[in-house]
Amino acid sequence: MSAGLATFLDRLHANWIRVPMIVLALAGSLLNLAILAQLRRLRNRPASQWRMRPLSPHKIRMERWQMVLSIATLMLIVVEEYFHLRTSGHL
């Protein structure tokens, strides 16, 4: 059973699936961080200050979670690429 699992994991770690998944994760997390930065920039503009209502604690918490998860995704991509480079010798 462990030999079958190792074979499955080797096939799952093949470049044809690994590279597109990393690219999608990288693009998604960078897009999410860009959108969060744009939201903060628009909220802090002087022209929008007069119509701003205080954000609900739920909304603040959700934006923080999105930022933390996006940064964690970027860190996991870096760690995965580092270990892949160490074990395989190529990206």
Side-chain angles (χ1 to χ4, degrees):
M1 179 158 165
S2 65
L5 181 63
T7 306
F8 173 72
L9 290 176
D10 280 344
R11 270 190 259 146
L12 188 63
H13 198 59
N15 282 339
W16 68 271
I17 194 164
R18 186 183 69 82
V19 172
M21 294 301 279
I22 288 173
V23 169
L24 285 173
L26 180 66
S29 62
L30 289 176
L31 180 66
N32 200 11
L33 288 173
I35 289 171
L36 288 172
Q38 178 72 1
L39 278 172
R40 288 187 177 190
R41 187 185 72 79
L42 289 174
R43 280 189 197 131
N44 291 332
R45 287 177 38 193
S48 63
Q49 294 299 315
W50 66 272
R51 62 178 168 245
M52 282 297 297
R53 287 180 281 164
L55 294 175
S56 68
H58 176 73
K59 190 161 189 154
I60 293 170
R61 192 170 47 251
M62 297 294 18
E63 286 182 10
R64 285 184 182 156
W65 266 111
Q66 286 176 353
M67 187 180 320
V68 167
L69 290 175
S70 293
I71 292 170
T73 300
L74 291 175
M75 290 181 355
L76 285 173
I77 289 171
V78 168
V79 168
E80 197 279 333
E81 288 300 316
Y82 171 74
F83 283 119
H84 185 78
L85 182 63
R86 273 187 83 190
T87 57
S88 301
H90 62 84
L91 291 177

